[in-house]
Amino acid sequence: MFAGTTLWCDTFDATWTKVGDGPIPLLSASVTRAFDGAGSITLDAPSTDKRAIQWLTNERRVKIYQIENNVLRTVGAGIIRKVTKRSTVGGYSRSCTGPDALDELKRRSTKLNRKYNNLPLADVADSLSVLAGWGAATESGVDDLITA
């Protein structure tokens, strides 16, 4: 959890084109990584911010940023799949959860009927990652042929 530092997020549409009129300040954010699949993101924004109400909606993409000790870093990126309203001692907040950006790779390569026969793992990884606009790297010496 990154509460207590300067946090904000930018919002994007399904093609990762920035939408909205500026960053949305966050009360807290959490990014969970998963070894064998998409991780998850959770963020809380004040419900008093009109931009949070307008732009933090289902299927919106977000990038979460943090400034700590005068250093800017990207904390994580993901897709909002569930939005809830919360009431706390400090007021009302908008809580958003969903998978991290790795989920896009899974969804884009599903149902495309791609078949790979006796190809090096690196070639298959490159072919699938390009679908999501990513790149893939494999360790040298990995020459296993796969059929998928």
Side-chain angles (χ1 to χ4, degrees):
M1 179 83 71
F2 298 99
T5 62
T6 303
L7 284 168
W8 73 91
C9 71
D10 284 326
T11 54
F12 301 84
D13 65 13
T15 63
W16 288 94
T17 302
K18 191 171 184 321
V19 296
D21 59 351
I24 298 170
L26 299 177
L27 301 170
S28 65
S30 175
V31 177
T32 304
R33 308 280 185 214
F35 180 70
D36 58 350
S40 63
I41 62 162
T42 302
L43 55 94
D44 290 313
S47 289
T48 54
D49 189 325
K50 290 181 183 179
R51 293 172 300 174
I53 296 168
Q54 183 177 7
W55 298 111
L56 295 178
T57 58
N58 284 335
E59 296 305 317
R60 197 64 85 187
R61 276 68 175 154
V62 293
K63 287 185 181 176
I64 303 167
Y65 303 96
Q66 171 192 30
I67 293 180
E68 190 170 29
N69 298 326
N70 294 322
V71 176
L72 171 66
R73 71 178 206 150
T74 303
V75 174
I79 305 160
I80 297 173
R81 294 272 163 77
K82 183 177 180 185
V83 179
T84 56
K85 299 170 194 153
R86 293 183 2 169
S87 174
T88 63
V89 174
Y92 293 100
S93 68
R94 190 170 189 84
S95 181
C96 304
T97 60
D100 69 16
L102 183 60
D103 187 64
E104 294 236 304
L105 181 61
K106 177 178 72 175
R107 288 177 170 246
R108 286 209 182 174
S109 62
T110 302
K111 298 183 183 176
L112 294 177
N113 201 22
R114 296 189 180 272
K115 298 196 185 307
Y116 302 94
N117 292 310
N118 291 327
L119 290 173
L121 176 63
D123 291 351
V124 174
D126 284 339
S127 174
L128 292 174
S129 64
V130 163
L131 294 172
W134 294 5
T138 56
E139 293 187 22
S140 61
V142 178
D143 295 330
D144 295 335
L145 298 178
I146 65 169
T147 299

